[in-house]
Each structure stands twice: as structure tokens, then as C-alpha cells.
Amino acid sequence: MQALDGGDGFLAKSAALTGFSEEELRATGMSQEYRAVVRERAGADRYRLFMEEEPCPDRADEGHGPQEARAELADAVIHLWYTGSWPGLDGAAPFTVSARAYAAGLVWRAFGGQPPGVGPGGFGSWAGAPGDVAAGAGAAR
């Protein structure tokens, strides 16, 4: 696992947060790019603390301490995987990582749809029912 996800368990942590398996996340082809975004935007110390804690931050201790900062980062990682966009932390502006990230967003798989303007559905495809929902979508929640 470490050689394929950058060496620090980012895929395992992401799988615990998103409800998709590590294999499903790896198949998006976005894990290394997302890992780099999270490390850069969170900063080395915050990223390290986030990776060292339990898979899902405990929200019972809401506040403004380190636990709240890790929970905010966990929310940002979930947002990143589902939308292909970084929501911004600490007042920083949100941004879409790339067109490829938008197309690989888990939100499309979660409801069995295709990203508008990217998917192979073609003209009139919106008139049909969406396909099957991804098997792993939300399974861990």
C-alpha cells in the first residue's frame, strides 16, 4: 500500500472518511495528486497530526482546539474526494484541483451519474435514469 499511495496511509485514511474502498479510490487515479494538495494546503504539521489520529475524528469535543482543526481537515479531505475541489481552510479560497479531478469526483459514482460535460452519455442522456450506485458509496457510514 505505501508504495502506491505515497507512503503514509493517505488512501487508508481517505477510505475510512469517504466510505469507498482503497481500491476504488486508487482506481480514480487521483490519490497522489490529492495527497499533495492536502499536504500543501494543510501544512506539514497539521497533515502529520491528521494522519496520526484515528480514522475518523471524534466530533464530540467540538471547539477551536487541535481536535477541531483535524475535524475541519477531515471534512476538507471528504469534500476533495467527492467533488475534486479543495474547499479551502482557514479562510483560504476554494478551488477545483483540475478538470480530471472534477470528472473523478466520487459524487458522480455515489448516485450513478456522469459529470456534466465530461461523461460519455451524449445528447439526451439526462432523460434516462442514472445507473447503479457504486457498491462502496457510503458503506462505511
Side-chain angles (χ1 to χ4, degrees):
M1 177 182 77
Q2 291 190 354
L4 296 175
D5 77 353
D8 63 5
F10 180 71
L11 271 178
K13 179 74 118 185
S14 295
L17 291 171
T18 64
F20 282 82
S21 70
E22 290 183 47
E23 291 74 26
E24 290 172 311
L25 297 179
R26 187 177 295 114
T28 67
M30 299 304 304
S31 64
Q32 291 191 12
E33 190 171 347
Y34 285 171
R35 179 178 172 266
V37 167
V38 173
R39 286 184 68 147
E40 177 188 329
R41 298 300 168 153
D45 290 341
R46 192 173 185 183
Y47 181 80
R48 182 184 48 77
L49 290 172
F50 172 71
M51 294 304 296
E52 289 175 355
E53 75 173 358
E54 295 297 315
C56 296
D58 181 8
R59 295 189 179 278
D61 187 26
E62 295 282 334
H64 298 288
Q67 183 69 16
E68 177 63 18
R70 289 191 296 269
E72 181 184 21
L73 183 53
D75 289 345
V77 170
I78 293 167
H79 186 97
L80 177 63
W81 277 105
Y82 272 85
T83 68
S85 300
W86 181 251
L89 293 174
D90 305 324
F95 64 93
T96 300
V97 172
S98 65
R100 193 169 72 103
Y102 164 77
L106 298 178
V107 65
W108 312 118
R109 296 187 60 197
F111 76 87
Q114 294 288 330
V118 178
F123 181 78
S125 63
W126 54 85
D132 293 333
V133 175
R141 295 182 187 242

